[in-house]
Amino acid sequence: MTTPDRATGGVAAGGAPSDGRDAGTGAAASDGRHAGVTPEAATAGVTTARVTAADVAVIGGGIIGLATAERLSAHGLSVVVIDERGPAGGVTGASGGLVRALDLSSAAHSWAAEGLDRYLRRGDHGRWPAVREDGSLTLFGADDTARAVEGVERVRATGHGAEILDAGEISRAFPGLAVPEGFTGVYEPRAGWLPARETAEAMLRDADSVTFLGGVRALEIVTAGSRVTGVRTTAGLVTTPAVLLAAGVHSTELARTAGVELPLRTRSVSFCVFAPRGRETGGAGAPGPLPAVLDSTTGGWLRRWDDGTAVLAGVPSPARDVPPAVTRGVPAAEEERVRAVARHRYPGLADADLVGGVTAYDALAPGDMGTVTAWPDPYGLVTATGWNGGGFKQAPAAGRYAAGLLREVLA
Ligand SMILES: Cc1cc2nc3c(=O)[nH]c(=O)nc-3n(C[C@H](O)[C@H](O)[C@H](O)COP(=O)(O)OP(=O)(O)OC[C@H]3O[C@@H](n4cnc5c(N)ncnc54)[C@H](O)[C@@H]3O)c2cc1C
């Protein structure tokens, strides 16, 4: 195993929900400018022996790979993104898209804040989807007030707004929530959530010098001596001196083809979509104003459903080494597990109808840390993996950092 010469990253605390309607569809790239071979050709094992050359090959068209590709493109580099599905066809398409500056891990903190900055600016051209600024509320238990105070200071130090709310203030601002006496919340008014798939697709549209090979599987990172020379794919060889490996949990097997050990496991991440009773009439059960909530006492999270008629809720699962699949819906046991915890913060969920959900996973690295690493052997390989349920909020910062490492490789 080679050792990294640079690494950074951080824990993603409390993954959140997303748009269950789109989850797992795995649509291939459709934009003509980014079109590659069809998924059908790839699954049939057709290789066209096409040879493509690029400054950088990115394996994985999720939010991490696309955020990196967008930054590389902004520096005028030619990039080929290889994805066996399409843009956001993996975990990203299932993501809750919660964004905030406060991250409960100090290591990840600055990347979350930097990510929020960039999401609020809607990218370089103002064309990314707008952040749904419902606000972000991170709850702390009665014995944890000091952490809330520290959290506010840390958020403000990044230039974002934040204030402490006590239980009474939270109940008045958000009547649907139930917060025990003694709890405090760190409220960030200019935070909330984004539609994850649309955001990833917008990053791709901003990346003028990127060719997206949708429906193409990367098979091997090709090396000569101790340097990267290309990526062998189901559509032929991509010749390149620099590779970003951002294929989620599948990065382990691809890294091994280059002699790099990248131990990743799957961790179950899912959410339920609940429609509180009375929603059709706008009655008492309808969701009122609701920020994106992270409860640090349980790890549970909530946000409003896209059109405001329902609530997404998730509670971290202890399940590890689950199959790496993204599917619509949740098993009954998962629904009960989430409802049993989430109803304590949003009582309207106790008898709400389950109207959707998603069962998915994220890649978990040792130490729970998402990392971006430039490997000395083979030179030219950068990996960006292990986001553990929180990669979306960090993606713009992780992509900026990864692009910097790749540009150093090319310098
Ligand atoms: C239900 C759920 C809710 C979440 N909510 C939040 C949230 O609210 N906020 C937050 O910050 N984070 C959240 N997360 C986490 C976040 O979505 C992930 O950390 C992030 O999307 C991971 O992005 P990625 O690019 O690393 O992985 P992926 O999106 O999985 O991208 C990897 C890509 O690699 C491709 N691939 C794999 N193998 C190959 C191969 N051999 N050849 C070619 N392509 C390959 C796949 O098709 C895939 O598109 C959530 C996750 C889940 C599951």
Side-chain angles (χ1 to χ4, degrees):
M1 175 181 160
T2 47
T3 51
D5 62 351
R6 282 168 297 232
T8 189
V11 178
S18 172
D19 184 339
R21 292 172 304 188
D22 291 342
T25 52
S30 53
D31 177 330
R33 184 164 58 85
H34 296 115
V37 300
T38 63
E40 292 72 23
T43 49
V46 174
T47 56
T48 59
R50 176 171 56 190
V51 177
T52 310
D55 292 324
V56 180
V58 171
I59 306 176
I63 196 76
I64 301 293
L66 292 176
T68 308
E70 188 270 336
R71 286 295 80 204
L72 291 167
S73 175
H75 285 93
L77 297 170
S78 64
V79 182
V80 169
V81 178
I82 303 156
D83 198 292
E84 61 185 347
R85 297 187 185 92
V91 171
T92 298
S95 182
L98 268 68
V99 291
R100 59 182 170 268
L102 178 62
D103 198 304
L104 299 182
S105 150
S106 56
H109 178 61
S110 60
W111 277 13
E114 181 183 333
L116 179 59
D117 272 338
R118 199 158 162 71
Y119 284 133
L120 286 169
R121 285 201 308 272
R122 305 181 64 183
D124 279 359
H125 308 289
R127 294 191 295 229
W128 299 0
V131 174
R132 277 46 168 181
E133 295 184 39
D134 294 345
S136 170
L137 182 67
T138 305
L139 296 171
F140 294 87
D143 54 357
D144 220 6
T145 308
R147 210 151 60 109
V149 172
E150 185 204 341
V152 165
E153 285 167 5
R154 283 167 41 191
V155 170
R156 287 180 178 165
T158 66
H160 290 275
E163 60 182 309
I164 295 268
L165 300 183
D166 64 25
E169 290 167 326
I170 293 169
S171 300
R172 282 191 290 281
F174 307 109
L177 294 177
V179 177
E181 203 55 41
F183 269 47
T184 48
V186 174
Y187 182 62
E188 300 173 56
R190 295 215 61 202
W193 57 277
L194 277 158
R197 179 186 298 278
E198 287 86 337
T199 304
E201 289 170 348
M203 286 179 179
L204 180 56
R205 279 195 297 275
D206 269 1
D208 292 332
S209 60
V210 170
T211 301
F212 194 99
L213 298 183
V216 174
R217 175 175 297 180
L219 302 170
E220 179 189 4
I221 297 166
V222 183
T223 58
S226 59
R227 299 185 82 96
V228 165
T229 57
V231 178
R232 190 167 64 82
T233 79
T234 49
L237 183 69
V238 178
T239 304
T240 180
V243 169
L244 176 77
L245 181 54
V249 76
H250 302 285
S251 302
T252 298
E253 68 232 30
L254 285 160
R256 205 165 280 147
T257 66
V260 167
E261 285 302 321
L262 200 61
L264 296 166
R265 304 170 68 186
T266 52
R267 173 198 160 200
S268 173
V269 187
S270 68
F271 65 79
C272 300
V273 183
F274 293 112
R277 300 265 165 103
R279 66 192 181 284
E280 301 88 342
T281 58
L290 184 65
V293 177
L294 171 63
D295 181 355
S296 74
T297 67
T298 61
W301 49 264
L302 303 165
R303 75 155 165 84
R304 73 173 163 92
W305 175 251
D306 304 30
D307 64 3
T309 61
V311 175
L312 302 194
V315 173
S317 161
R320 305 283 185 270
D321 303 319
V322 297
V326 178
T327 54
R328 293 177 198 216
V330 287
E334 177 68 3
E335 174 194 346
E336 283 316 305
R337 196 182 68 81
V338 171
R339 195 192 293 269
V341 175
R343 59 185 283 201
H344 293 296
R345 294 295 161 266
Y346 194 100
L349 299 186
D351 64 349
D353 300 319
L354 181 78
V355 295
V358 77
T359 302
Y361 69 97
D362 203 1
L364 177 65
D368 295 359
M369 298 286 284
T371 56
V372 179
T373 304
W375 298 82
D377 185 4
Y379 188 75
L381 175 63
V382 174
T383 57
T385 58
W387 303 103
N388 189 19
F392 184 83
K393 71 174 85 63
Q394 299 181 66
R400 187 260 314 149
Y401 184 78
L405 296 183
L406 291 157
R407 289 170 61 218
E408 282 179 30
V409 165
L410 298 171

